[in-house]
């Protein structure tokens, strides 16, 4: 396979990086996705040093607290995380939309504002030759297949992260969405879902992961595929092992 497999730090609160990245390496992951605050992580030099020493590079750094009101603090906080992403030599900077408007769908103007903000962050990151990608996610500004397609028409410079679970939530076959957006796809998330919570891959039956992985091969995708950990009570190590074992079972 051309792509590499990473694991998200989504559910790590205040991790001991030496320990948890050691577990990632031991359980067979190629890299990791950063979600923690920069206050906890420390300098990019520190994070990259630990990642390099253990042998699990940073795949992606995630943005934080996006809003579409254009406020200065929100933009600056995300730009500092873009700076950090460049310094740890991440492949991509990823962010999600703002909170969904209460009790109504997003307006055309709100989706256009999100597209413009996405492109503004992409322009800022271009000084580092760093891609910026929008992560599709339910209960955010864009919360349907139709709104997603509208955003992609409006967003000119930012790229795309497809989370196959959220594509499935919208009734949009994940494998088909991969083909449909292949020219903008720079990052992929894998999650499974059952009984109102995210579970280990293969335990939820939400979608055909094999078909999604095959679609990535068919389009010649060669970047990072990242698994987000479940909401189960299992230990971090057990989650890592189970998800990695499932992907091996699929041939990856």
């Amino acid at each position: 396979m051309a792509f590499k497999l990473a694991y998200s730090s989504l559910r790590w609160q205040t991790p001991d990086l030496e320990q948890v990245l050691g577990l990632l390496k031991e359980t067979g992951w190629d890299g990791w996705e950063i979600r923690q605050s920069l206050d906890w992580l420390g300098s990019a030099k520190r994070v990259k040093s630990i990642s390099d020493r253990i042998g699990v590079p940073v795949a992606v750094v995630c943005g934080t607290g996006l809003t579409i009101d254009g406020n200065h603090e929100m933009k600056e906080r995300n730009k500092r995380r873009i700076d950090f992403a460049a310094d740890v030599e991440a492949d991509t900077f990823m962010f999600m939309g703002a909170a969904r408007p209460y009790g109504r769908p997003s307006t055309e103007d709100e989706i256009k504002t999100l597209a413009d903000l996405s492109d503004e962050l992409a322009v800022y990151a271009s000084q580092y030759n760093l891609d910026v990608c929008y992560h599709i996610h339910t209960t955010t500004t864009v919360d349907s297949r139709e709104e997603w397609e509208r955003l992609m028409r409006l967003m000119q410079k930012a790229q795309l992260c497809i989370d196959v679970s959220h594509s499935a939530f919208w009734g949009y076959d994940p494998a088909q969405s991969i083909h449909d957006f292949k020219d903008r796809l720079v990052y992929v998330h894998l999650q499974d879902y059952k009984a109102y919570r995210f579970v280990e891959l293969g335990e939820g039956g939400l979608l055909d992961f094999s078909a999604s992985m095959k679609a990535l091969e068919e389009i010649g995708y060669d970047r990072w595929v990242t698994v987000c950990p479940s909401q189960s009570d299992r230990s971090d190590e057990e989650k890592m092992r189970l998800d990695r074992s499932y992907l091996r079972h699929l041939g990856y």
Side-chain angles (χ1 to χ4, degrees):
M1 64 183 182
F3 44 83
K4 294 182 179 181
L5 298 173
Y7 195 82
S8 174
S9 66
L10 172 63
R11 306 199 191 282
W12 306 345
Q13 297 301 311
T14 52
D16 178 331
L17 287 186
E18 295 274 0
Q19 178 187 40
V20 76
L21 295 185
L23 286 176
L24 275 185
K25 181 69 173 179
E26 179 186 330
T27 49
W29 299 96
D30 301 312
W32 66 297
E33 174 191 276
I34 287 179
R35 294 286 186 117
Q36 284 67 38
S37 73
L38 304 189
D39 287 345
W40 181 259
L41 292 171
S43 70
K45 180 179 179 180
R46 172 183 181 268
V47 172
K48 189 172 187 309
S49 174
I50 295 172
S51 296
D52 288 350
R53 182 168 65 254
I54 294 174
V56 281
V58 176
V60 166
V61 174
C62 298
T64 184
L66 196 79
T67 63
I68 57 172
D69 60 5
N71 79 80
H72 178 74
E73 179 180 345
M74 175 275 296
K75 290 182 180 180
E76 287 301 303
R77 288 185 181 279
N78 278 285
K79 287 176 181 178
R80 296 298 77 74
R81 290 183 75 85
I82 288 173
D83 298 335
F84 185 91
D87 287 343
V88 296
E89 299 181 9
D91 183 61
T92 306
F93 175 80
M94 183 192 84
F95 68 97
M96 293 183 288
R100 184 79 171 169
Y102 180 73
R104 63 170 177 81
S106 296
T107 65
E108 184 78 18
D109 284 346
E110 286 166 335
I111 295 173
K112 178 63 164 64
T113 298
L114 175 61
D116 290 344
L117 174 59
S118 305
D119 286 343
E120 181 179 342
L121 294 177
V123 168
Y124 181 81
S126 67
Q127 66 183 299
Y128 304 119
N129 293 317
L130 176 70
D131 277 329
V132 163
C133 63
Y134 178 80
H135 176 328
I136 62 162
H137 202 289
T138 54
T139 71
T140 62
T141 313
V142 166
D143 194 15
S144 69
R145 174 176 176 170
E146 294 73 21
E147 290 178 346
W148 178 13
E149 291 172 334
R150 195 175 308 145
L151 176 70
M152 297 307 295
R153 289 193 294 269
L154 294 168
M155 194 169 66
Q156 301 298 311
K157 300 182 183 299
Q159 304 301 318
L160 176 66
C161 167
I162 291 180
D163 184 312
V164 294
S165 66
H166 294 283
S167 185
F169 289 149
W170 292 335
Y172 192 170
D173 177 64
Q176 185 61 54
S177 72
I178 287 167
H179 279 282
D180 290 347
F181 293 115
K182 63 182 180 180
D183 294 336
R184 304 285 294 277
L185 186 63
V186 298
Y187 192 40
V188 175
H189 265 184
L190 305 180
Q191 295 187 91
D192 206 350
Y193 191 79
K194 182 180 182 180
Y196 304 103
R197 69 189 317 205
F198 287 101
V199 295
E200 271 64 62
L201 297 183
E203 293 187 357
L206 177 65
L207 61 114
D208 184 344
F209 286 99
S210 181
S212 293
M213 301 298 271
K214 181 180 178 183
L216 292 174
E217 292 185 343
E218 289 170 346
I219 67 169
Y221 183 78
D222 62 357
R223 298 177 76 161
W224 287 96
V225 174
T226 292
V227 172
C228 290
S230 76
Q231 294 169 302
S232 75
D233 295 328
R234 291 170 170 140
S235 68
D236 288 335
E237 181 176 3
E238 189 174 6
K239 292 177 184 182
M240 293 176 199
R241 290 188 185 280
L242 286 170
D243 284 330
R244 191 66 191 88
S245 177
Y246 179 80
L247 290 176
R248 287 194 183 99
H249 174 71
L250 296 183
Y252 301 95

